[in-house]
Amino acid sequence: MNLKVDLAGVTLNNPIMTASGTFGSGEEYSEFVDLNRLGAVVTKGVANVPWEGNPTPRVAEVYGGMLNAIGLQNPGIDLFSKRDLPFLEKFDTKVIVNVCGHSTEEYLDVVERLADEQRVDMLEINISCPNVNAGFLAFGQDAHNVEKLTAQIKKIAKQPIIMKLTPNVTDITEIARAAEAGGADAVSLINTLTGMKIDINRKTFAVANKTGGVSGPIVKPVAVRMVYQVAQAVNIPIIGMGGISCAEDAIEFLLAGASAVSVGTANFHNPAVTLEVIDGIEAYMKKNGFENVKDMVGIVK
């Protein structure tokens, strides 16, 4: 079975990658998962300076998943380049760095710093970040801003860029088309859905931020629907994510139009889930007569 996939000229050994923020930068899971078997490791968000993140509590369990308001805590680009990238040199897997920022300048600073890092194969731009120059509205909630930011990043990026789309919009296809118009090499979706939980015993919010991002199996039907819609709207590759817990979930995304998938929240309760998904896809291909995984992509119309 040929599981290799092409994402904007970057060849992955298989379509399985890790969702940003759920796998550290690889080292944290390396005792449990053979990173060489993954199509790509997608790192946690990296900013131009260290971010402390939101106050605690930051995580709450919800029906069918979890609610988190971590606030993209990260050590910043300096430590990431010094510590995490050298560790990933040991492995035969692609490295996709997730980039976050509160302003266009912050994004561009990180992209420019990573331009000459040979170990970085692609950049995933997290446009669910709150834009301080637009009343903290997420970058990805306005099509004009998405196209403009994408174009600015493309001017200086030396690696292909993936724009990571927020589902918290009226029309996900409008945002995807804007990213494509700005020159994006691929899109990934979905990021978390905004949600809230109230602790009835403490009579207050379950997370200090009041709202947080909902992830896990509960969001999968929404994610599959959005991936399908975007696949009909753009001509660039799609990375699907949102509630993938097993091979069957991943296969849904591939059939809906995703060229690759990211596994996220499931890593927290099953560190080996990515490997199980790879094996499950291969078994499905054998059973259903697919010699190449790319032949599965988007066949459900």
Side-chain angles (χ1 to χ4, degrees), residues 24-162:
S25 287
E27 183 173 5
E28 294 87 340
Y29 275 78
S30 59
E31 293 184 23
F32 308 101
V33 179
D34 179 2
L35 303 187
N36 293 305
R37 291 196 59 200
L38 299 177
V41 170
V42 182
T43 71
K44 58 193 171 188
V46 178
N48 64 331
V49 295
W51 286 8
E52 293 185 358
N54 291 326
T56 57
R58 297 172 166 186
V59 178
E61 185 175 357
V62 296
Y63 181 81
M66 64 178 284
L67 179 75
N68 93 84
I70 304 298
L72 293 168
Q73 177 180 341
N74 73 92
I77 183 66
D78 290 336
L79 183 58
F80 174 79
S81 296
K82 180 180 179 181
R83 180 191 64 191
D84 297 330
L85 286 179
F87 173 81
L88 292 168
E89 287 279 0
K90 308 172 188 176
F91 301 98
D92 179 26
T93 186
K94 300 303 180 185
V95 174
I96 301 174
V97 178
N98 183 277
V99 178
C100 53
H102 287 138
S103 67
T104 300
E105 292 72 26
E106 290 183 13
Y107 281 108
L108 296 178
D109 189 13
V110 178
V111 171
E112 187 172 22
R113 295 277 298 280
L114 292 172
D116 295 318
E117 291 283 2
Q118 296 301 310
R119 193 62 190 94
V120 178
D121 297 290
M122 303 183 81
L123 302 177
E124 182 183 57
I125 312 300
N126 181 4
I127 52 175
S128 294
C129 297
N131 183 353
V132 294
N133 296 321
F136 283 91
L137 180 74
F139 279 90
Q141 290 179 299
D142 179 88
H144 175 73
N145 285 340
V146 170
E147 182 174 350
K148 183 178 179 181
L149 177 63
T150 304
Q152 289 175 294
I153 290 173
K154 279 296 293 180
K155 285 181 181 179
I156 64 172
K158 293 186 180 178
Q159 299 93 344
I161 66 165
I162 305 160

Side-chain angles (χ1 to χ4, degrees), residues 19 22 29 64-66 68 192 214-217 243-245 262-270 273:
T22 68
Y29 275 78
M66 64 178 284
N68 93 84
T192 56
V214 179
S215 63
I244 296 174
S245 301
S262 288
V263 181
T265 300
N267 289 306
F268 295 139
H269 64 83
N270 179 10
V273 64

